[in-house]
Amino acid sequence: MTGQYDGTITLIGSRNHSNFTNDYPWFEETSVDPRIPAPNKADAYRHYTSHDYAVFAQDDWKATSRLTLNLGLRWERFGAPSEVHGNIAQFTNLNCSILDPACISAARVGPVNRMWKTQNHDFGPRIGFAWDPFGKGKMAIRGGYGIFYDRIFDNIWSNGAWNPPFYALLDFDGRSDAIFPSNPASIGPGYNPAGPCGPIPYAPGVPPGCTSRKRVSVRTMDVNMHDSSGQNFYLGVEREFFGNLLLSAKYQGALGRHLPMLENYNRVDGIGYNSALNPIRPNGLYSGFNYRSNSVSSNYNSLIVEATKRMGHGLQFQTGYTYSKLLDVNSELFAGCSNIGSLTAPYYYISNALPHLSYGRGAEDRRHAYKFSVSYDLPFFKAEKGFVGHALGGWSLGSFLQFYSGHPIDVFDGRATYPATDAAGNTIFDAGGAIPLNLGGDYNLDFVENDHPVFIGGNLNSVYSGRSPADGIFKDNNVIGCGAPWVPGNADISTCNANFGVAGACAVGDLTCDPTGVGSPGTPNSMFAMPGYPSSGSLFARYGMVGRNIFHGPRLVNMDFGLHKSFK
């Protein structure tokens, strides 16, 4: 690292904890008013307005004595938000392909009247029926379908208050930028998108006239946003047997459409495919390219069987089993802050160009669910009068048992890139001859460390340890190793494994240290490994074959038991 004349720090070479003990932060984000020179105070207060309208008509029509129809139609208009004083900014020229690097490079934010175009075609039909095929009141066939819309919730768009020209979050990276948190003046002059410190690539070296690269983190969204919607459908049969035994079988499904997604489109596969393995973003003006769209679809299907029985004498039970499957490419806007290495981050596609690689079980998918409830009114002293009846009568017992199969678990490699070297420290290049062979993570070199590995274990059901989840659900919890059949024999695998060893107080290179009791630094995982290089095409197009959410966590079994008293 290098100290500058004004006391700032730059050229930090690693994320070691010692940097922080010396007040050398790896990354800094500072809010400023980009219209005036620093230091200054940024004001993010905004007065948003929006207008919503809805019209609906619905009726129940008894077509015959045995058939009832439910018919309805709803139209809704969720107005796109505006800001009373016009202090709202959004992309003004991102109407091209988000997968085109030239398009992303030219993208600029600026003042707008509204964050997106209001949709006026949210029509939601609803239809349902109930039919008694024999007219005896013992059997019913029911079905229905409907489309339901919802407005785009505020967190999607309200962070647009953090965009230039009214507000700016300046990002500083310690590898190349000057950082000193206690010296705001080191930020320099006001942010100027057209200036020499503006749209430059993220790469070593500073253009003449620049004292610091001031890259802005923006929060923007699709200018052609659609309102989120769900299509729900149902078909079920109910039949009463033997008095008070009611059996039912139902199919329930739901299609989620235009669901929210948080993305970073300032990256494409291969932006780190250069001699330094550093990302050269398509748009050097913006660091955080926090782009919100509603591009996610989900599909849910389930079969439900239930039985309810009133036995008489105060005894009744209800039981049911559900078999279901939920599939999507993303289950939540912020994805529960999944871990990427030692950091937390939203869920991103494995590859912007190949979103289908992320298609799999949704985070809330529970393949099997079973429930059983029973209640019994105790017969003792029910007819007693006076104190005995009040104190000892009116008691009941109740119990509820539920079982759920485990939630899905996503396995990915959160490591950074690691250039291969031999024992003497000489770089080993890939088949292209000019780029270091990558033994670390970020296989597709898009500077998002969420790539999936390959599975080298016996089978997908043999990986589970049976231990407490706190001790790790997999049999092997070591990190993914740096070795693979395609790695040259002269590569320094041991040093690479040690650098990617178990986090803790162990010194780098100490292969005997085990701070967690789970695994030792330098011991590769026996179930997951790096994917190989492709035999043709782009050498950065490396994608592991482990699908999203193909593993699952432990099941849940829960029982409640209660004693209840009723008073007059």
Side-chain angles (χ1 to χ4, degrees), residues 6 24 34 39 66 92 119 181 233 256 264 270 293 295 312 316 322 353 396 430 485 495 504 516 519:
D6 61 355
Y24 300 157
R66 294 185 293 163
T92 58
Q119 301 294 325
F233 33 90
N264 175 12
S293 67
S295 56
Q316 62 179 343
T322 301
S396 62
D430 66 16
T495 301
T516 65

Side-chain angles (χ1 to χ4, degrees), residues 170-463:
L170 301 185
D171 288 349
F172 297 84
D173 191 316
R175 287 170 289 186
S176 55
D177 296 325
I179 294 178
F180 195 7
S182 61
N183 183 13
S186 67
I187 295 175
Y191 170 78
N192 179 10
C197 298
I200 57 178
Y202 180 83
V206 180
C210 284
T211 58
S212 175
R213 261 188 220 94
K214 289 178 283 295
R215 293 178 301 275
V216 176
S217 177
V218 292
R219 271 72 172 165
T220 59
M221 60 278 320
D222 185 356
V223 297
N224 297 306
M225 292 276 263
H226 292 76
D227 298 318
S228 298
S229 65
Q231 302 180 42
N232 298 337
F233 33 90
Y234 168 91
L235 180 64
V237 179
E238 301 175 358
R239 181 70 165 89
E240 185 178 343
F241 294 93
F242 311 120
N244 291 323
L245 175 62
L246 179 65
L247 300 179
S248 64
K250 313 167 189 176
Y251 166 74
Q252 280 184 259
L255 303 177
R257 295 296 182 261
H258 300 298
L259 306 178
M261 177 75 178
L262 182 64
E263 257 302 335
N264 175 12
Y265 284 115
N266 199 13
R267 56 141 180 161
V268 292
D269 294 344
I271 62 174
Y273 193 67
N274 52 67
S275 58
L277 294 179
N278 281 333
I280 301 178
R281 296 183 177 93
N283 192 320
L285 180 60
Y286 305 124
S287 55
F289 210 83
N290 200 304
Y291 186 80
R292 290 100 189 277
S293 67
N294 47 7
S295 56
V296 173
S297 295
S298 66
N299 305 290
Y300 173 80
N301 294 278
S302 67
L303 175 65
I304 306 168
V305 291
E306 293 181 325
T308 303
K309 174 65 174 176
R310 297 182 65 90
M311 307 289 290
H313 305 290
L315 178 64
Q316 62 179 343
F317 75 87
Q318 183 177 12
T319 185
Y321 166 75
T322 301
Y323 175 79
S324 63
K325 192 172 187 179
L326 171 65
L327 297 172
D328 59 27
V329 293
N330 177 35
S331 298
E332 196 227 324
L333 178 68
F334 299 106
C337 287
S338 58
N339 285 327
I340 295 184
S342 59
L343 310 175
T344 59
Y347 178 83
Y348 290 150
Y349 290 128
I350 299 169
S351 167
N352 282 348
L354 302 171
H356 68 273
L357 294 177
S358 301
Y359 187 70
R361 295 175 61 190
E364 297 85 11
D365 180 60
R366 295 185 297 203
R367 190 62 47 85
H368 304 279
Y370 173 73
K371 299 179 181 180
F372 178 84
S373 64
V374 60
S375 63
Y376 178 55
D377 295 333
L378 296 178
F380 311 113
F381 305 107
K382 290 181 63 174
E384 288 289 337
K385 305 293 185 180
F387 175 78
V388 174
H390 285 293
L392 302 180
W395 289 90
S396 62
L397 299 175
S399 181
F400 179 63
L401 170 70
Q402 56 182 332
F403 163 87
Y404 296 111
S405 54
H407 283 281
I409 290 179
D410 195 21
V411 174
F412 59 89
D413 188 348
R415 303 177 301 173
T417 57
Y418 190 92
T421 60
D422 59 22
N426 301 311
T427 301
I428 300 176
F429 297 95
D430 66 16
I435 308 301
L437 195 73
N438 178 22
L439 300 183
D442 192 15
Y443 307 133
N444 62 336
L445 295 177
D446 65 347
F447 206 51
V448 176
E449 298 155 4
N450 65 341
D451 300 75
H452 283 197
V454 295
F455 181 68
I456 58 176
N459 61 74
L460 296 181
N461 292 321
S462 66
V463 302

Side-chain angles (χ1 to χ4, degrees), residues 151-162:
R151 71 167 296 111
I152 300 170
F153 73 98
D154 293 354
N155 192 274
I156 293 279
W157 53 265
S158 61
N159 287 350
W162 297 353

Side-chain angles (χ1 to χ4, degrees), residues 22 25 85 247 523:
N22 293 305
H85 305 289
L247 300 179
T523 303

